[in-house]
Short mmCIF file of all heavy atoms in Angstrom, two decimals:
data_model
loop_
_atom_site.label_atom_id
_atom_site.label_comp_id
_atom_site.label_asym_id
_atom_site.label_seq_id
_atom_site.Cartn_x
_atom_site.Cartn_y
_atom_site.Cartn_z
N MET A 732 -36.27 17.27 -71.03
CA MET A 732 -37.12 16.97 -69.87
C MET A 732 -37.92 18.20 -69.45
O MET A 732 -37.59 19.33 -69.80
CB MET A 732 -36.25 16.51 -68.69
CG MET A 732 -35.66 15.14 -68.89
SD MET A 732 -34.75 14.56 -67.44
CE MET A 732 -33.22 15.42 -67.64
N ASP A 733 -38.97 17.93 -68.70
CA ASP A 733 -39.84 19.00 -68.23
C ASP A 733 -39.77 19.01 -66.70
O ASP A 733 -40.51 18.29 -66.04
CB ASP A 733 -41.28 18.70 -68.71
CG ASP A 733 -42.16 19.93 -68.57
OD1 ASP A 733 -41.63 21.01 -68.26
OD2 ASP A 733 -43.38 19.78 -68.73
N PRO A 734 -38.87 19.80 -66.12
CA PRO A 734 -38.65 19.72 -64.67
C PRO A 734 -39.80 20.29 -63.86
O PRO A 734 -40.47 21.23 -64.28
CB PRO A 734 -37.38 20.56 -64.47
CG PRO A 734 -37.28 21.44 -65.66
CD PRO A 734 -37.96 20.74 -66.79
N ILE A 735 -40.01 19.69 -62.69
CA ILE A 735 -41.01 20.18 -61.74
C ILE A 735 -40.29 20.51 -60.44
O ILE A 735 -39.50 19.70 -59.93
CB ILE A 735 -42.09 19.11 -61.49
CG1 ILE A 735 -42.86 18.85 -62.79
CG2 ILE A 735 -43.04 19.53 -60.37
CD1 ILE A 735 -43.86 17.71 -62.71
N VAL A 736 -40.55 21.71 -59.92
CA VAL A 736 -39.86 22.18 -58.71
C VAL A 736 -40.82 22.15 -57.53
O VAL A 736 -41.96 22.61 -57.64
CB VAL A 736 -39.32 23.62 -58.91
CG1 VAL A 736 -38.71 24.16 -57.62
CG2 VAL A 736 -38.30 23.66 -60.04
N LEU A 737 -40.36 21.59 -56.40
CA LEU A 737 -41.11 21.69 -55.14
C LEU A 737 -40.22 22.42 -54.13
O LEU A 737 -39.11 21.97 -53.84
CB LEU A 737 -41.46 20.29 -54.61
CG LEU A 737 -42.10 20.28 -53.20
CD1 LEU A 737 -43.43 21.02 -53.18
CD2 LEU A 737 -42.28 18.86 -52.69
N ASN A 738 -40.72 23.55 -53.65
CA ASN A 738 -40.01 24.27 -52.59
C ASN A 738 -40.35 23.60 -51.26
O ASN A 738 -41.19 24.10 -50.50
CB ASN A 738 -40.40 25.74 -52.61
CG ASN A 738 -39.97 26.40 -53.90
OD1 ASN A 738 -38.83 26.22 -54.33
ND2 ASN A 738 -40.87 27.11 -54.54
N ALA A 739 -39.71 22.47 -51.04
CA ALA A 739 -40.10 21.60 -49.92
C ALA A 739 -39.92 22.29 -48.57
O ALA A 739 -40.67 22.02 -47.64
CB ALA A 739 -39.28 20.32 -49.96
N GLY A 740 -38.94 23.19 -48.47
CA GLY A 740 -38.68 23.85 -47.19
C GLY A 740 -39.79 24.81 -46.80
O GLY A 740 -40.06 25.00 -45.61
N SER A 741 -40.45 25.42 -47.79
CA SER A 741 -41.47 26.42 -47.46
C SER A 741 -42.89 25.97 -47.83
O SER A 741 -43.85 26.45 -47.26
CB SER A 741 -41.16 27.75 -48.18
OG SER A 741 -41.06 27.52 -49.57
N GLU A 742 -43.01 25.04 -48.79
CA GLU A 742 -44.34 24.68 -49.28
C GLU A 742 -44.69 23.21 -49.04
O GLU A 742 -45.83 22.80 -49.26
CB GLU A 742 -44.44 24.95 -50.80
CG GLU A 742 -44.29 26.42 -51.15
CD GLU A 742 -44.05 26.64 -52.64
OE1 GLU A 742 -43.96 25.67 -53.40
OE2 GLU A 742 -43.92 27.82 -53.02
N GLY A 743 -43.70 22.41 -48.65
CA GLY A 743 -43.95 20.98 -48.45
C GLY A 743 -44.29 20.67 -46.99
O GLY A 743 -44.14 21.52 -46.11
N TRP A 744 -44.72 19.44 -46.72
CA TRP A 744 -44.92 18.99 -45.35
C TRP A 744 -43.56 18.85 -44.68
O TRP A 744 -42.58 18.47 -45.33
CB TRP A 744 -45.64 17.64 -45.34
CG TRP A 744 -47.01 17.66 -45.96
CD1 TRP A 744 -47.41 17.03 -47.09
CD2 TRP A 744 -48.16 18.35 -45.46
NE1 TRP A 744 -48.73 17.28 -47.35
CE2 TRP A 744 -49.23 18.08 -46.36
CE3 TRP A 744 -48.40 19.17 -44.35
CZ2 TRP A 744 -50.51 18.61 -46.18
CZ3 TRP A 744 -49.68 19.68 -44.17
CH2 TRP A 744 -50.71 19.41 -45.07
N THR A 745 -43.50 19.11 -43.40
CA THR A 745 -42.24 18.94 -42.67
C THR A 745 -41.97 17.45 -42.49
O THR A 745 -42.79 16.73 -41.93
CB THR A 745 -42.32 19.63 -41.29
OG1 THR A 745 -42.71 20.99 -41.51
CG2 THR A 745 -40.98 19.60 -40.59
N LEU A 746 -40.82 17.02 -43.01
CA LEU A 746 -40.52 15.58 -43.04
C LEU A 746 -39.78 15.12 -41.79
O LEU A 746 -38.95 15.84 -41.23
CB LEU A 746 -39.68 15.25 -44.28
CG LEU A 746 -40.37 15.41 -45.64
CD1 LEU A 746 -39.38 15.12 -46.76
CD2 LEU A 746 -41.59 14.51 -45.75
N GLU A 747 -40.07 13.89 -41.40
CA GLU A 747 -39.35 13.22 -40.30
C GLU A 747 -38.35 12.25 -40.93
O GLU A 747 -38.69 11.51 -41.86
CB GLU A 747 -40.37 12.45 -39.44
CG GLU A 747 -39.76 11.62 -38.34
CD GLU A 747 -39.03 12.48 -37.32
OE1 GLU A 747 -39.64 13.39 -36.75
OE2 GLU A 747 -37.81 12.24 -37.13
N PHE A 748 -37.14 12.23 -40.41
CA PHE A 748 -36.10 11.36 -40.96
C PHE A 748 -35.64 10.28 -39.97
O PHE A 748 -34.88 9.41 -40.34
CB PHE A 748 -34.89 12.20 -41.40
CG PHE A 748 -35.17 13.05 -42.62
CD1 PHE A 748 -35.67 14.33 -42.50
CD2 PHE A 748 -34.95 12.54 -43.90
CE1 PHE A 748 -35.95 15.10 -43.63
CE2 PHE A 748 -35.22 13.29 -45.03
CZ PHE A 748 -35.73 14.58 -44.89
N THR A 749 -36.08 10.37 -38.71
CA THR A 749 -35.60 9.43 -37.70
C THR A 749 -36.43 8.15 -37.73
O THR A 749 -37.66 8.20 -37.64
CB THR A 749 -35.68 10.07 -36.30
OG1 THR A 749 -35.01 11.32 -36.35
CG2 THR A 749 -35.05 9.18 -35.24
N ASP A 750 -35.71 7.04 -37.81
CA ASP A 750 -36.38 5.72 -37.80
C ASP A 750 -37.06 5.52 -36.45
O ASP A 750 -36.45 5.78 -35.41
CB ASP A 750 -35.30 4.65 -37.98
CG ASP A 750 -35.59 3.77 -39.17
OD1 ASP A 750 -36.59 4.00 -39.85
OD2 ASP A 750 -34.78 2.84 -39.40
N GLY A 751 -38.26 5.05 -36.46
CA GLY A 751 -38.95 4.73 -35.21
C GLY A 751 -39.46 5.94 -34.45
O GLY A 751 -39.89 5.81 -33.29
N ALA A 752 -39.42 7.12 -35.06
CA ALA A 752 -39.86 8.34 -34.36
C ALA A 752 -41.33 8.25 -33.99
O ALA A 752 -42.14 7.73 -34.77
CB ALA A 752 -39.62 9.55 -35.26
N ILE A 753 -41.66 8.72 -32.80
CA ILE A 753 -43.08 8.90 -32.43
C ILE A 753 -43.41 10.32 -32.87
O ILE A 753 -42.93 11.29 -32.28
CB ILE A 753 -43.28 8.71 -30.92
CG1 ILE A 753 -42.90 7.27 -30.55
CG2 ILE A 753 -44.73 9.02 -30.52
CD1 ILE A 753 -42.81 7.01 -29.06
N MET A 754 -44.19 10.45 -33.90
CA MET A 754 -44.32 11.75 -34.58
C MET A 754 -45.43 12.61 -33.94
O MET A 754 -46.40 12.98 -34.58
CB MET A 754 -44.55 11.53 -36.08
CG MET A 754 -43.29 11.00 -36.77
SD MET A 754 -43.54 10.53 -38.49
CE MET A 754 -44.23 12.01 -39.19
N ASN A 755 -45.21 12.94 -32.68
CA ASN A 755 -46.18 13.79 -31.99
C ASN A 755 -45.63 15.21 -31.81
O ASN A 755 -46.08 15.95 -30.95
CB ASN A 755 -46.58 13.18 -30.64
CG ASN A 755 -45.35 12.99 -29.75
OD1 ASN A 755 -44.24 13.33 -30.16
ND2 ASN A 755 -45.54 12.44 -28.57
N GLY A 756 -44.66 15.57 -32.67
CA GLY A 756 -44.07 16.91 -32.60
C GLY A 756 -44.39 17.72 -33.85
O GLY A 756 -45.52 17.74 -34.32
#
Side-chain angles (χ1 to χ4, degrees):
M732 289 185 280
D733 195 8
I735 296 174
V736 175
L737 173 62
N738 296 313
S741 56
E742 296 166 358
W744 299 114
T745 306
L746 292 177
E747 175 63 57
F748 290 89
T749 307
D750 237 1
I753 298 169
M754 290 173 55
N755 58 1

